[in-house]
Amino acid sequence: MSQLVTGEAVVLGLRSAKLPSRALAIWLDLAAEFAVLIGVLILLEQTTGEMDEAAATAIALGLMVFCLVGVPVMVETLSRGRSLGKLALGLRVVRTDGGPVRFRHALVRGLVGFVELLTFMGVPAIVCSLISPEGRRLGDVFAGTLVVRERVPGAGGGRAALPPLSPELMQGLGSGLVALDLSAVPDGLWLAIRQYLGRIGQLDPAVGHGMALRLVGDLVARTGQPAPYGVPPAAYLGAVLAERQRRDWERSLGHQAQQAHEVRQAPQMQQAPTPQAQPAAPEPQPQPTPPPTGFAPPA
C-alpha cells in the first residue's frame, strides 16, 4: 500500500489493486472491446458487400488493432486512467509518482498489454502480478504506472470524515488560528492537505492517521506554532485550511471594494473642471532709439 499524497487530484494512500480485481476488470474491458469489434465487422460486411479477400483481411486486422489497442489507449487517456472495467470495480491507473496517466503511459500499457494479454493469453501478466508486491503487470512496469483502488470496501461506511470537536477546543483553536502566520506555507502543502481531506473517507484509518500526522508536522514546521493539544490531526488540518480560505475571502472582498471605489471616483475625476491657464503678460517692447542728428551740446 502506497502512502504518498501527491499528484493532480490523485492520492496514493489507497490500496494497490491485486490480481483478482485487475483480472476481472481486464475481462470486462476485453468483453466490451470484442463486442465493439464484432459489431463493426458485421456492419462493415453488410455495407461493403463483395470485397477482395486481401482487402477484407487488411481491414479486419486494422479494426482489430484499433479496437484492442487504440480504443483502450484513448479511453485511459481521456478518462485519466479509468476504463470501463476499472470504473466498475473502483480501480484507477496512476503514475508511480502520483500523477494521472498521460497518452504515452496509456500507449505503452496498451501495446505491451496486447502482447502479454492477447498474444500469450495473459500468462506474463499473471506471473508479473504475482511477483510484484503492488500487483503490477509488464505494461505497468514499462510505462511506470500503478493500479490502485479508489473505493476501499468499508473505508467510509458509517463513520464521519472528520472527528467532531468539543466547543471548548473549538474556542481555543479559533483564537490560535487567527494568530497563525500562513505566508510561509507553500502551495504544494496546501494541495496535499486538500487532497487528503477530500479523500479521507476512502483511506484506511491507520494510513489516514499517519498521513495526517505527517501533514501536521510539515504545517507546524512552516508556521512555527505547535498544534493544540487534544485536537485530532485531521480536524486541525481542516481548521487551518478553513482559516486560510477565510483570509483569502476577506482579501478578495477588500480587493473588490477597492475596485468599486476606484470605479466610482473615475467619473468624478473626468467631470472636474480643469483650471484655465492665465494669459501670459506681454513682454515690454524696447523703446526706439532716435536717429543721430549731428548736433552736439555746448561744452
Side-chain angles (χ1 to χ4, degrees):
M1 180 185 300
S2 178
Q3 298 183 3
L4 298 176
V5 184
T6 57
E8 305 168 34
V10 175
V11 179
L12 286 183
L14 306 177
R15 300 178 186 273
S16 300
K18 298 303 180 181
L19 180 60
S21 59
R22 295 195 60 181
L24 183 56
I26 290 175
W27 279 112
L28 291 176
D29 291 335
L30 289 177
E33 293 164 9
F34 275 108
V36 173
L37 177 60
I38 294 173
V40 172
L41 290 177
I42 294 175
L43 181 63
L44 182 64
E45 183 180 359
Q46 293 178 352
T47 54
T48 56
E50 296 183 358
M51 184 182 296
D52 183 65
E53 183 178 356
T57 304
I59 293 176
L61 288 176
L63 289 175
M64 183 177 67
V65 173
F66 174 75
C67 292
L68 299 180
V69 178
V71 172
V73 169
M74 289 189 300
V75 170
E76 281 195 357
T77 303
L78 297 177
S79 64
R80 298 297 183 91
R82 298 184 184 92
S83 62
L84 180 62
K86 293 181 179 62
L87 186 62
L89 295 177
L91 307 181
R92 183 178 181 178
V93 182
V94 297
R95 299 197 308 260
T96 53
D97 62 353
V101 293
R102 306 295 184 185
F103 172 74
R104 61 183 182 88
H105 304 97
L107 180 61
V108 173
R109 294 186 80 256
L111 293 177
V112 179
F114 182 83
V115 176
E116 64 175 337
L117 297 176
L118 298 177
T119 306
F120 293 98
M121 303 300 295
V123 175
I126 295 175
V127 174
C128 186
S129 297
L130 292 175
I131 296 175
S132 173
E134 297 175 337
R136 302 169 67 190
R137 63 177 177 88
L138 291 179
D140 295 315
V141 174
F142 286 107
T145 56
L146 174 70
V147 180
V148 297
R149 297 186 62 89
E150 286 195 312
R151 297 197 301 266
V152 180
R159 63 183 181 91
L162 294 178
L165 296 178
S166 63
E168 294 78 8
L169 283 178
M170 285 297 298
Q171 183 177 1
L173 190 60
S175 59
L177 290 176
V178 176
L180 278 180
D181 182 12
L182 304 178
S183 59
V185 181
D187 294 336
L189 184 54
W190 290 122
L191 176 62
I193 294 174
R194 286 196 300 268
Q195 295 291 337
Y196 167 75
L197 294 176
R199 298 289 184 89
I200 188 174
Q202 302 175 2
L203 300 176
D204 181 80
V207 176
H209 184 71
M211 287 183 181
L213 290 177
R214 288 193 297 272
L215 290 174
V216 169
D218 295 340
L219 189 63
V220 168
R222 297 299 195 283
T223 59
Q225 297 292 333
Y229 178 77
V231 179
Y236 181 69
L237 292 175
V240 174
L241 184 61
E243 173 64 19
R244 190 218 182 194
Q245 294 175 349
R246 184 190 66 81
R247 296 184 186 183
D248 292 342
W249 176 253
E250 290 182 352
R251 191 180 303 111
S252 176
L253 291 180
H255 182 66
Q256 293 178 1
Q258 182 179 2
Q259 287 184 340
H261 179 71
E262 292 177 355
V263 169
R264 290 194 300 267
Q265 292 294 331
Q268 298 178 5
M269 296 178 62
Q270 294 177 357
Q271 297 176 2
T274 56
Q276 298 181 357
Q278 297 292 334
E283 297 181 358
Q285 299 294 331
Q287 297 293 331
T289 304
T293 55
F295 173 77

